[in-house]
Amino acid sequence: MALITADMPIGDVTSRWPDTARIFARYGLSCASCAISKSETIAQGAAGHGGGRIDMNELLRDLNTFADTGRLPANLPEARATAGAPAGVPRGMAEQKGVKHVIAVMSGKGGVGKSLVAGLLAAGLAREGFRVGVLDGDITGPSIPRMFGVREKPQPVGKTQTLNPPRSRGGIPIMSMNLLLPSEEEAVIWRGPMISGAIRQFFSDVAWGELDYLVVDLPPGTSDAPLTVMQAIPISGVLLVTTPQALATMIVTKAVRLVKQLGGDILGVVENMAYVRMPDGSRNEVFGPSQGLKLVIAANAPLLASIPIDPEIARLADSGGIEDYDGAEAAELIKNFLAVAPEKHPAVRA
Ligand SMILES: Nc1ncnc2c1ncn2[C@@H]1O[C@H](COP(=O)(O)OP(=O)(O)O)[C@@H](O)[C@H]1O
Ligand SMILES: [Mg+2]
């Protein structure tokens, strides 16, 4: 009996039968874990992602097999090449044995909240029990150390070249060029090769220990700076941060092309400063209406969260308290990230 039909919102299906997200994913509809799927129907999702190549009959048959029997069908389409751990580190890349997955946070331009999303991601994953570190690859400002309230200079391990990263209050190791500079205000005017050399060392010559995720805050934009960083360290997946301004989707298209050129994968998109919550509970979309659906289509990746402009975020980010932020949208970001992430459960530790 066909319970599931093409006109049902994907979100309804996955909330009733959570494991169907795996079936959707095999058909290239990773949007099953996407915020948009709440309203998008299976037919719309297939049209948006599959380029018309998804066989709706087969998808519905597999979904209904699961709904009827509670078992995943045996002959699901092969998983697409996913963003999992890279098979072998390409030549010329820095190495770091203890780090399982590197997640790079990217933006088309500065000031959209890239560092903030990197911070929320790291803090949220740590809260879920993952072992997380943050590598600040954006030397244009001290946002990462400030957000986590870290000021200590990294100290060498014994007499080696390896540096011990200082830790946040919650125990997250943080490495940033800004921690090595004499003062926060010191402007860093470095050229690309020097930056990527430094970042490479921040990856390989820092005692990160065993990490499930190393979150890398990339330099802003889609120019040389983020590119050289992505070429220097083995990235498992990229998170793209934008605001809902008109130009955002064009920038996203550019960013997607860049990531693809490097053989990488966009895991998801985060729309930041999407709206302001008004006292009456309504949403004021200061920067224009949400571009969520367009972003999803442009990036061919799920929208992981729409984060409002929240004075509490700004306050905590400025005062070293980002780990204390517990907004619902941050929780949603983590939940949706884990649905597409290469590692879905914290390692069991003694
Ligand atoms: N959703 C938000 N609500 C309130 N303030 C925000 C939000 N996102 C970012 N900010 C603030 O905006 C500024 C820029 O954010 P930041 O993460 O440093 O941007 P980027 O890294 O993209 O340049 C910071 O002061 C940050 O605290
Ligand atoms: Mg920043």
Side-chain angles (χ1 to χ4, degrees), residues 1-5 8 13 16-20 23 59-73:
M1 193 181 68
L3 286 168
I4 302 174
T5 51
M8 284 171 75
V13 178
R16 186 152 166 209
W17 299 280
D19 274 356
T20 56
I23 301 177
L59 172 58
L60 288 173
R61 183 201 60 207
D62 285 347
L63 289 170
N64 280 300
T65 301
F66 183 81
D68 285 343
T69 65
R71 288 200 199 158
L72 292 173

Side-chain angles (χ1 to χ4, degrees), residues 126-149:
R127 199 182 277 191
E128 290 294 312
F130 289 96
R131 299 164 302 182
V132 185
V134 183
L135 194 168
D136 181 6
D138 182 359
I139 61 169
T140 57
S143 3
I144 291 286
R146 189 182 288 163
M147 211 181 295
F148 284 93

Side-chain angles (χ1 to χ4, degrees), residues 113-325:
K114 170 177 55 60
S115 300
L116 180 99
V117 169
L120 288 178
L121 180 69
L125 288 171
R127 199 182 277 191
E128 290 294 312
F130 289 96
R131 299 164 302 182
V132 185
V134 183
L135 194 168
D136 181 6
D138 182 359
I139 61 169
T140 57
S143 3
I144 291 286
R146 189 182 288 163
M147 211 181 295
F148 284 93
V150 170
R151 277 197 202 86
E152 284 162 75
K153 262 195 169 26
Q155 298 298 326
V157 180
K159 286 194 173 129
T160 65
Q161 271 207 349
T162 307
L163 289 176
N164 250 329
R167 285 173 186 269
S168 70
R169 256 178 287 155
I172 297 177
I174 309 274
M175 191 60 199
S176 169
M177 182 65 73
N178 294 282
L179 294 170
L180 298 170
L181 300 172
S183 86
E184 262 199 10
E185 275 69 42
E186 189 106 339
V188 187
I189 308 166
W190 281 21
R191 276 173 293 132
M194 289 169 78
I195 300 174
S196 68
I199 303 293
R200 175 191 296 268
Q201 283 184 25
F202 282 2
F203 184 62
S204 54
D205 298 349
V206 166
W208 290 110
E210 299 278 321
L211 294 184
D212 298 308
Y213 294 109
L214 179 65
V215 177
V216 177
D217 187 16
L218 289 177
T222 49
S223 62
D224 273 7
L227 192 104
T228 47
V229 174
M230 285 198 285
Q231 283 169 327
I233 47 187
I235 310 272
S236 307
V238 176
L239 228 64
L240 203 55
V241 182
T242 71
T243 56
Q245 271 127 320
L247 278 177
T249 52
M250 247 176 68
I251 293 171
V252 167
T253 312
K254 197 169 168 203
V256 169
R257 204 180 309 136
L258 183 83
V259 172
K260 286 270 177 297
Q261 269 167 17
L262 295 174
D265 232 326
I266 308 244
L267 289 177
V269 185
V270 177
E271 196 175 34
N272 188 33
M273 311 197 199
Y275 57 90
V276 176
R277 201 173 278 115
M278 305 306 278
D280 68 358
S282 65
R283 294 176 172 199
N284 180 348
E285 298 182 324
V286 232
F287 290 134
S290 165
Q291 302 283 318
L293 189 55
K294 279 194 203 157
L295 292 177
V296 164
I297 292 168
N300 192 25
L303 179 69
L304 300 179
S306 270
I307 301 176
I309 298 176
D310 179 355
E312 181 70 358
I313 294 190
R315 191 184 64 78
L316 289 171
D318 229 38
S319 62
I322 194 70
E323 287 161 289
D324 298 333
Y325 185 71

Side-chain angles (χ1 to χ4, degrees), residues 41-57:
T41 65
I42 299 175
Q44 287 166 336
H49 291 276
R53 275 174 282 114
I54 291 177
D55 187 327
M56 188 60 77
N57 289 332

